[in-house]
Amino acid sequence: MSTKTETNEFQAEVKQLLDIVIHSLYTERDIFLRELISNSADALEKFRHQQLLEEDVFDPDASLEININFDDKEHTLTITDSGIGMTREELVENLGTIAHSGSKNFFKAMSETNRKDVNLIGQFGVGFYAAFMVAKKVRVLSRSYKKDADGWEWSSDGAGSYTISAADGLHRGTKIILDLNDDSHKYADEFTIKNIIEQYSSFVPFPIKVKGDKVNTVQAVWIRSKNEIKEEEYTEFYKFIANAADDPLLRLHFSVDAPLAIKALLFVPQENFEILGFGRQDPGVSLYCRKVLIDQHSENILPDWLRFLKGVVDSEDLPLNISRQALQDNMLVTKLKKVITSRFLKFLAETAKNDAESYEKFWKNFGIYLKEGATQDFTHRDSIAKLLRFESSKSEPGKLISLEDYVERMDDKQKEIYYINGPSRDALESGPYLEAFKQHDLEILYAMEPIDDFVFSHLGEFDGRKLLSADRADLHLPETGKEDKDKKDETKELDKPVADSLLKWMKEVLGDKVKEVNKSERLVDSPAMIVNPDGYMTSSMERIMRATNQDHPVSAKNMEINLGHKLISGVADMRIKDEEFAKSMIEQIYDNAMIQAGLLIEPRSMVSRTYEIMERALKAE
Ligand code: ADP
């Protein structure tokens, strides 16, 4: 064995890389530990594999683990593994040249962007060389698993060359000793080290011990097969990753091999903190590649509207050192996103079918996200539509139905799906919009959240049937043959010439406030209602747009008049006796109809007008 120390120059690319690593002001230097631990874990994995192939290995009984020690007086940090180790040639090849994945990609990106962007370091990880971000000197003591190999020490200050000399008495594996540089002394600290390990390396499949204390106690349950995992293990894992105190509401654990290899474990929490007023949630699912964290709370692997999910997605098809920017437009990631989203939606559909109670709970707290998805996500729109739930005129109060339920019990003659927005079931049922539906015995969905009309308008249709708001001006309800003829007696209506003149006069009285005043085919009990001539805009949508933007133009509405209503024939009579008072009446009817449409009116003139009308009523006594 040679006893002399040999000095070698680094390959030119390594020199460049080291120069960037050492002189950059990169702030997230913590990742150096993730890189070294990953290398150790790989080396342990390789050894485990090799041991199956070759019986005769060095130190066969050394336990497979990673040990981390530090000395806060000497400012050193030591990472030791009992992995496969490196021979002299391997040390030269692996640590003196760039032939391997991570650093190579880093270089490619550096030359492509042609800029010295220090943040690229964090995004790529530069593997072993990251050690030089925190160390002024790095020593690598390694002894290969091969029975007759020798031990070697590799050492460098990162300045252009490294030395190699023989080292005796080593165990199998690799020990990396970092002489921390002056502004990195904080890494010789138990709390700091444990924190970094917890963040990045919690699920490394070998024990990581800091001064003998095992830090990674939570197992990467997602890679194990479902039937081997106990309920408590899932719960413990969930609490760890979601920082939660209670059990999850729902859980989905699955793996697929095609189109790419994915193992995922997703949880729906019990509570929705967004509706509880905690502000917008950050995504809660992290991306791993073979148990090593790539992107924590990733924005790339799930659509924004699934931000309430907690969990882990692991794909070995992704390169470990992929950058966050690269994640955004990576084809694999796009595929990943689609596969996971579809699978989760399928799971929700199964839950709705097999465990209605859980689904109801889910819907109550998280339904709003699916509605958000329906308005944003074209790809998954149809699957989301099936998961939506609403009350309806034919559901019991508080009970929800799906669009499929609705379609299933539709009358043969009915071709379209109807809905109406309002603040509550009571408000909707006492308003004018439902009258015709009751009259025709048609079911109508109750949209009781502001977003609902946007959802319906984005969906456009369900199962080939148009979704129509009941406040559309052009709505024509089908004759079902179940109409209550007594309730709507058309012979009581005003004669056509009287009616035509009345409608024309009403339009004059209301002026620009309405676009048209028309005879209603639908009203039964109310004298009038407001409808929207623009089929895409409902009164509820308009209310929201105006609430968020004061300058939103008020679109002109139509008013429909129930010509069989007593109050309307009363207005016609009053017009002859006292036109001014008849005007007040029609203005009040308009304001009332606007209130029932949920649209803002100007209260001052309305209040004085109602007093006027009341005084008049008293006089008539
Ligand atoms: P990468 O891990 O992306 O290949 P690194 O610069 O981190 O790049 O490491 C270069 C090579 O050095 C690794 O591929 C591996 O062969 C070897 N190596 C690094 N650390 C260890 C270790 N602890 N044990 C054995 N081999 C190692």
Side-chain angles (χ1 to χ4, degrees):
M1 189 202 290
S2 141
T3 48
K4 68 174 192 328
T5 300
E6 220 181 85
T7 304
N8 290 339
E9 287 283 304
F10 281 119
Q11 184 195 29
E13 285 91 335
V14 178
K15 279 189 199 167
Q16 275 178 40
L17 179 61
L18 283 169
D19 191 51
I20 298 163
V21 167
I22 294 167
H23 296 112
S24 76
L25 297 171
Y26 184 64
T27 45
E28 283 168 59
R29 291 179 301 165
D30 294 3
I31 56 132
F32 85 91
L33 195 56
R34 171 188 76 175
E35 301 294 317
L36 297 182
I37 288 174
S38 288
N39 281 348
S40 287
D42 285 350
L44 286 161
E45 197 68 65
K46 282 183 201 157
F47 172 74
R48 190 152 64 182
H49 180 75
Q50 219 48 44
Q51 197 177 19
L52 299 174
L53 306 176
E54 298 170 42
E55 269 169 31
D56 222 7
V57 295
F58 178 61
D59 258 359
D61 300 325
S63 59
L64 300 182
E65 59 187 35
I66 300 166
N67 278 287
I68 297 180
N69 285 292
F70 59 90
D71 185 328
D72 55 3
K73 303 271 172 332
E74 297 292 322
H75 311 300
T76 58
L77 181 63
T78 309
I79 296 117
T80 312
D81 66 64
S82 46
I84 195 161
M86 284 176 273
T87 61
R88 188 183 191 285
E89 292 69 35
E90 284 165 340
L91 278 168
V92 172
E93 172 69 21
N94 294 338
L95 308 185
T97 62
I98 294 182
H100 44 280
S101 51
S103 316
K104 226 179 179 179
N105 287 341
F106 172 74
F107 251 107
K108 211 165 143 252
M110 285 292 263
S111 58
E112 272 166 12
T113 56
N114 204 12
R115 64 194 168 132
K116 298 261 176 284
D117 185 347
V118 292
N119 287 317
L120 282 174
I121 295 176
Q123 286 155 4
F124 277 92
V126 285
F128 168 75
Y129 302 107
F132 287 97
M133 291 200 285
V134 299
K136 53 188 175 208
K137 185 174 170 198
V138 178
R139 293 159 65 201
V140 181
L141 298 143
S142 199
R143 167 71 158 89
S144 166
Y145 76 102
K146 289 179 182 139
K147 197 86 206 212
D148 49 5
D150 302 308
W152 294 93
E153 175 170 344
W154 179 104
S155 172
S156 176
D157 57 7
S161 62
Y162 60 90
T163 62
I164 281 219
S165 54
D168 286 336
L170 302 183
H171 289 292
R172 185 192 70 234
T174 303
K175 174 188 284 211
I176 298 181
I177 306 168
L178 308 179
D179 271 327
L180 295 170
N181 56 33
D182 295 346
D183 56 5
S184 300
H185 288 175
K186 68 164 182 180
Y187 291 111
D189 172 70
E190 185 159 339
F191 182 75
T192 310
I193 296 168
K194 284 185 172 170
N195 251 341
I196 301 174
I197 296 172
E198 262 167 31
Q199 186 180 357
Y200 291 108
S201 313
S202 273
F203 305 115
V204 165
F206 299 95
I208 305 173
K209 296 179 178 170
V210 176
K211 291 214 160 157
D213 218 10
K214 190 172 167 198
V215 181
N216 55 336
T217 51
V218 183
Q219 277 201 26
V221 284
W222 70 87
I223 53 135
R224 287 164 50 198
S225 85
K226 274 201 248 183
N227 47 20
E228 287 170 8
I229 306 169
K230 292 200 211 78
E231 211 47 42
E232 305 87 82
E233 288 181 283
Y234 275 127
T235 308
E236 187 200 2
F237 178 77
Y238 166 72
K239 288 179 176 170
F240 177 79
I241 52 141
N243 228 336
D246 52 0
D247 292 3
L249 177 64
L250 298 175
R251 175 184 78 224
L252 169 63
H253 185 187
F254 71 94
S255 67
V256 287
D257 296 321
L260 66 171
I262 301 172
K263 290 187 164 62
L265 178 52
L266 304 173
F267 298 95
V268 177
Q270 296 279 352
E271 299 296 342
N272 175 354
F273 288 96
E274 250 175 56
I275 55 171
L276 292 177
F278 281 74
R280 200 181 164 79
Q281 295 261 283
D282 289 330
V285 178
S286 300
L287 180 62
Y288 285 76
C289 167
R290 274 179 261 156
K291 290 183 254 181
V292 177
L293 182 67
I294 303 182
D295 193 14
Q296 190 165 31
H297 302 150
S298 180
E299 288 178 0
N300 304 301
I301 42 169
L302 286 173
D304 194 36
W305 55 271
L306 284 177
R307 60 187 176 278
F308 62 94
L309 287 179
K310 309 284 178 200
V312 165
V313 169
D314 195 316
S315 177
E316 54 187 64
D317 290 337
L318 289 175
L320 173 61
N321 291 322
I322 188 167
S323 80
R324 275 189 213 129
Q325 259 123 31
L327 278 175
Q328 271 169 24
D329 36 45
N330 182 293
M331 283 294 291
L332 282 176
V333 177
T334 310
K335 245 189 223 165
L336 197 75
K337 190 169 174 175
K338 198 166 164 196
V339 173
I340 300 168
T341 307
S342 306
R343 185 64 186 81
F344 181 69
L345 291 173
K346 187 171 153 226
F347 163 74
L348 285 181
E350 287 161 3
T351 308
K353 199 162 151 234
N354 305 326
D355 181 1
E357 199 183 317
S358 297
Y359 189 73
E360 213 171 284
K361 229 168 162 185
F362 166 81
W363 178 257
K364 192 165 143 271
N365 282 346
F366 300 96
I368 188 76
Y369 293 96
L370 295 189
K371 290 180 179 177
E372 198 181 310
T375 65
Q376 290 174 359
D377 201 323
F378 189 79
T379 320
H380 302 284
R381 212 170 52 176
D382 292 347
S383 333
I384 297 175
K386 292 189 183 144
L387 294 165
L388 302 174
R389 296 291 181 270
F390 300 93
E391 284 195 41
S392 90
S393 57
K394 293 195 176 174
S395 72
E396 280 172 45
K399 288 266 175 290
L400 302 169
I401 64 155
S402 66
L403 292 172
E404 277 170 330
D405 295 334
Y406 182 102
V407 169
E408 212 162 275
R409 54 197 198 205
M410 260 165 70
D411 189 284
D412 286 349
K413 301 191 190 69
Q414 184 186 347
K415 299 280 173 275
E416 290 151 342
I417 299 172
Y418 307 106
Y419 65 93
I420 181 68
N421 198 297
S424 67
R425 193 176 175 104
D426 283 348
L428 285 169
E429 292 187 339
S430 60
Y433 299 99
L434 253 64
E435 291 173 9
F437 291 87
K438 285 185 208 147
Q439 165 75 4
H440 291 253
D441 191 32
L442 290 167
E443 183 165 19
I444 174 164
L445 297 167
Y446 294 168
M448 294 191 284
E449 278 182 286
I451 191 178
D452 290 344
D453 286 18
F454 292 93
V455 171
F456 287 128
S457 137
H458 273 266
L459 293 180
E461 55 173 53
F462 179 80
D463 199 16
R465 291 147 217 271
K466 280 206 185 98
L467 286 152
L468 300 180
S469 173
D471 63 8
R472 279 173 78 117
D474 61 356
L475 198 72
H476 295 289
L477 298 184
E479 293 292 325
T480 54
K482 294 181 212 151
E483 287 75 14
D484 182 352
K485 293 286 180 227
D486 294 344
K487 271 225 103 181
K488 196 168 179 327
D489 182 357
E490 282 168 12
T491 60
K492 284 191 211 144
E493 284 184 8
L494 292 173
D495 291 342
K496 191 161 171 9
V498 181
D500 286 349
S501 147
L502 183 70
L503 295 173
K504 197 165 158 254
W505 171 78
M506 284 177 175
K507 165 67 185 142
E508 279 162 23
V509 173
L510 295 170
D512 290 341
K513 288 202 262 188
V514 290
K515 196 170 168 209
E516 289 171 22
V517 178
N518 296 317
K519 170 188 173 185
S520 178
E521 304 293 345
R522 307 190 242 164
L523 286 171
V524 181
D525 298 315
S526 301
M529 72 176 177
I530 295 295
V531 292
N532 292 282
D534 171 2
Y536 294 101
M537 179 66 78
T538 68
S539 296
S540 159
M541 282 160 85
E542 181 153 330
R543 184 167 60 242
I544 294 164
M545 287 175 162
R546 267 201 262 163
T548 49
N549 174 12
Q550 300 290 329
D551 300 330
H552 183 80
V554 182
S555 66
K557 309 283 170 201
N558 289 1
M559 183 153 85
E560 280 194 7
I561 299 292
N562 180 357
L563 289 173
H565 199 277
K566 266 200 294 203
L567 208 50
I568 298 300
S569 44
V571 173
D573 293 345
M574 185 59 73
R575 193 183 152 204
I576 300 158
K577 281 190 266 170
D578 180 348
E579 188 170 348
E580 279 314 302
F581 189 64
K583 278 185 189 168
S584 289
M585 285 176 80
I586 200 62
E587 275 168 358
Q588 189 59 44
I589 288 171
Y590 166 81
D591 277 358
N592 289 354
M594 284 294 275
I595 294 173
Q596 286 179 309
L599 293 167
L600 293 173
I601 50 144
E602 200 278 296
R604 270 175 308 171
S605 60
M606 182 188 120
V607 170
S608 52
R609 189 191 314 117
T610 44
Y611 288 149
E612 203 184 293
I613 295 170
M614 284 154 96
E615 276 167 26
R616 177 119 180 180
L618 285 174
K619 263 193 230 154
E621 279 295 307

